[in-house]
Amino acid sequence: MFPTVREVLALVPVRHGAPRLVAGDAGLDRPVRWVHVAEVPDIATLLGGGELVLTTGIGLPADDAGLRAFIGDLADVGVSGLVVELGRRYVSGVPRVMAAAAERRGLPLVELRRATPFVRITEAVHALIVDAQLTELRATEEIHQRFTELSVEGAEPAEVVRQAAELAGCPVVLENLSRQVLAYDPAGESAELLLDGWEQHSRRIRPAGRTAYDPDSGWLVTTVGARGQDWGRLLLRWPAGAELTTRGPHRPPAAPDDRAVSDDTAPATTAADGGVTGRPSEGYDGGAADADGSQPTAGATPVDAVPVDAPSADAAPLGGWAPPHPRRDPEVGAGPGTTPPTRLTILIERAASTLALGRLIRRDAEGLERQIHRTLLTALIDHSRPVDEVALRAKALGVTLDRRHLVGVVVRHRADDPIEGGGPGPDTGPEAGPARLRDLAEAVGQALREAKLTALTSAVDDQAVGALLALPDPAAEEKALAAFAAALRRVRLDADPARPPAPRPARPVDPAARTVAVGALRAADPASRPRPAGPAVIVAAGSGVGSLREARRSLVEARQVAEAARRDRRDLPYFRLPHVGLAGLLHLLRDEPRLQTFVERELGGLLVYDAQHPREQLLGTLRAYLEQGRNKSAAAAAAHLSRPAFYERLARIGRILDVDLDSVEQCLSLHVALLALDAVRTP
């Protein structure tokens, strides 16, 4: 937000004073927070850091020790630089001891060899700072407006990430708690390089705090979550010097005093290397003593001119705004001591809140009755309304839930089915998902009516439709589920669009000719090609419960069973909990933040170690040990390692994870964590 000492020295009012850098060129990129005029030696006690101090030197100490203490106090308080106007106290130059002290502390010390009204310098710098702050405010306002619009529109995560990358001009990545990329935008860079080995790279990015910058890797990170449940991280790569762009670079207008000066009043000339040099003062031989007896600065520093970099062709005009740091290779990172602009922090936090809010918003427009069904079903799952109120409102809709046997049912498509899963075809696109979900919800409602069942029904997420069946007694459970599954199949079969029959070839006598003919028929009509075994829609049911207060358990169980049965190709009318095992259950829960947190807690140390030592991969050693039933000899053979080497690796794993690998209970926990990790990593 603030200009640097280098940029201040390039302003016309400063150049009018023929500036020369005497010492501290390493601090030229310090930001200037304010300009302060001082003529007393103990001014440091009144400063807060970041000021550019202007003085004529008339009040400075006359002895060397006093000058050293003066420079030391300014450096300790953190001033940006010291500018001394010659002519009143120091005629030929500042004292050598003063320059040496400034050089030791890295404090920029500048001489003004021509009398210059300090008010013009303060006005120019303060105008530059205020304009930069206004620019920051405008950029922040645009960030808030942009992400507010995205929140209202219910934008998808990919769009939110794209907008963040566009505003920042930097790559942005959205990942879950298991370091899997959910969405990304490389901002014009190579996506392959950005995502190559992402999980290992991400595990090395460990900033402190909910929103923090990791200078070693150059990533600004914030946690994404809502209602106290975090489910991901949003990362923005900012190497030092990268600019935040909001519809192009923001540069404030030139300061009022940054106007052109005529040749007879402009003491500065442009050097061959693009630097701005002060016009040497006549009669300065670099060796005469000052009026107060101190020695001038000739020989104290190797420069005799102010090394102010002239603006490049694509830089901001004189008095405008430029990046505070030189650009660096994005792969190198920002380096220590650098922090991203405040706008980037605001941007990434607003993007994270938009992502969290978007996860809570449902965009699909529904009828009023279906909305009430969804409200009541969601209230049962989330405990957002009292059970008595849900029962009362459901009864008003004609669904009696009191004193009924309740069974949660979830129906969903197989996401990996080439036809039903939204493969290439005319029914794919941005609206294909909501449309398919709406069609499925209508099919479920019609099947309930055909089976003469009473239920609350609505979509429960982007992929599934839920129903809470209200049955007269537990004995009717299996019969009702079978009737519903059969009716749903009929409804979906009747809803398939009519397709003219494909031409059938005459049955050839030769079996080889028959094979060729069938192949030709399938090539001509893709719809006639064989589809994977198993139904296109999964019907899953939870355990029956006897009260509305337990209905949530049945609904959640049905959702878990439906998710776990996605890859089960058995053509069952409906799935129950006994049909899925532990691996299927973990696969179902792979997006659950608590499961991902469990994996990180159990295996996080080992995963970090493997990321830092890619040649060892101790996770494979642990997997072999657990899969072989903790038989070390068999596990060593399976891992193709000698037994001593395998034992040494097991000992190292025990130290890293702080576990006893001879403990059955701890090994069981690790084995479950490994299965969960496989489920998380499997799409």
Side-chain angles (χ1 to χ4, degrees), residues 126 177 200 247 255 278 339 350 400 402 469 521 591 647:
H126 292 171
L177 296 180
Q200 293 183 346
R247 297 178 183 171
T339 56
R350 285 291 284 117
T400 302
D402 287 332
L469 303 184
L521 172 62
D591 293 327
Y647 296 163

Side-chain angles (χ1 to χ4, degrees), residues 615-661:
R615 293 186 177 181
E616 295 189 39
Q617 296 302 309
L618 296 180
L619 189 69
T621 303
L622 177 62
R623 186 187 302 276
Y625 175 67
L626 296 176
E627 288 181 350
Q628 296 298 324
R630 299 189 300 118
N631 185 321
K632 296 180 181 179
S633 299
H640 305 289
L641 292 172
S642 66
R643 282 189 289 181
F646 189 81
Y647 296 163
E648 192 277 332
R649 286 196 172 196
L650 285 182
R652 198 179 320 157
I653 292 171
R655 290 192 300 270
I656 293 173
L657 298 180
D658 191 21
V659 296
D660 179 10
L661 293 180

Side-chain angles (χ1 to χ4, degrees), residues 140-512:
T140 302
E141 182 181 358
E142 180 175 351
I143 290 171
H144 283 288
Q145 181 178 356
R146 182 80 65 92
F147 286 106
T148 298
E149 292 174 354
L150 292 174
S151 298
V152 172
E153 294 171 358
E156 296 292 336
E159 176 62 17
V160 176
V161 170
R162 187 190 70 80
Q163 294 278 4
E166 177 183 328
L167 288 172
C170 306
V172 178
V173 176
L174 173 64
E175 65 176 15
N176 62 16
L177 296 180
S178 294
R179 310 300 194 266
Q180 289 182 314
V181 177
L182 303 178
Y184 70 93
D185 191 299
E189 299 183 14
S190 170
E192 290 78 8
L193 292 178
L194 178 67
L195 301 180
D196 183 38
W198 175 259
E199 181 181 345
Q200 293 183 346
H201 177 65
S202 174
R203 292 186 183 280
R204 301 189 190 105
I205 305 172
R206 309 183 74 175
R210 190 171 181 85
T211 300
Y213 179 65
D214 183 8
D216 294 333
S217 61
W219 284 93
L220 178 63
V221 186
T222 189
T223 304
V224 184
R227 295 179 177 175
Q229 293 186 350
D230 299 332
W231 52 268
R233 297 198 309 175
L234 189 64
L235 301 94
L236 184 150
R237 189 172 66 191
W238 182 82
E243 287 184 271
L244 178 63
T245 59
T246 51
R247 297 178 183 171
H250 285 273
R251 293 181 177 126
D257 288 315
D258 292 355
R259 52 183 178 268
V261 293
S262 60
D263 293 338
D264 58 342
T265 61
T269 59
T270 302
D273 62 352
V276 178
T277 65
R279 180 176 296 166
S281 177
E282 290 78 12
Y284 175 59
D285 59 5
D290 290 324
D292 60 355
S294 61
Q295 294 296 323
T297 59
T301 58
V303 294
D304 61 354
V306 180
V308 180
D309 295 337
S312 61
D314 60 348
L318 193 62
W321 187 247
H325 303 284
R327 288 193 180 274
R328 302 184 185 179
D329 187 342
E331 297 297 332
V332 175
T338 58
T339 56
T342 305
R343 281 177 289 173
L344 278 183
T345 302
I346 295 174
L347 185 149
I348 195 172
E349 288 183 341
R350 285 291 284 117
S353 63
T354 302
L355 289 167
L357 181 61
R359 191 167 174 130
L360 304 177
I361 294 177
R362 320 306 295 176
R363 295 188 303 158
D364 193 18
E366 298 175 318
L368 181 58
E369 182 178 349
R370 185 173 295 177
Q371 288 184 30
I372 298 176
H373 273 252
R374 167 172 289 189
T375 299
L376 298 180
L377 211 56
T378 303
L380 290 174
I381 296 175
D382 298 340
H383 293 304
S384 57
R385 293 175 183 269
V387 173
D388 294 339
E389 179 183 345
V390 173
L392 183 62
R393 296 191 62 181
K395 188 174 183 180
L397 288 173
V399 180
T400 302
L401 301 177
D402 287 332
R403 295 186 296 277
R404 292 292 189 273
H405 183 73
L406 306 175
V407 181
V409 176
V410 169
V411 182
R412 62 158 299 151
H413 289 279
R414 290 185 184 273
D416 55 352
D417 186 86
I419 303 299
E420 301 293 341
D427 295 332
T428 60
E431 301 299 326
R436 289 172 60 246
L437 185 63
R438 189 163 48 247
D439 292 343
L440 183 60
E442 292 176 357
V444 169
Q446 185 175 346
L448 289 171
R449 289 190 293 271
E450 288 192 8
K452 297 180 173 56
L453 296 173
T454 302
L456 283 177
T457 178
S458 80
V460 292
D461 56 37
D462 294 338
Q463 301 290 339
V465 176
L468 181 63
L469 303 184
L471 306 177
D473 55 74
E477 182 176 318
E478 296 297 333
K479 183 178 179 181
L481 290 174
F484 168 71
L488 182 62
R489 287 198 176 191
R490 289 195 302 271
V491 169
R492 288 187 49 77
L493 183 62
D494 294 341
D496 284 342
R499 184 172 60 238
R504 292 181 174 273
R507 176 179 294 182
V509 178
D510 187 0

Side-chain angles (χ1 to χ4, degrees), residues 537-558:
V537 170
I538 296 171
V539 179
S543 302
V545 295
S547 70
L548 190 56
R549 298 185 186 278
E550 300 176 285
R552 179 183 184 276
R553 175 168 60 85
S554 183
L555 288 167
V556 171
E557 181 181 310

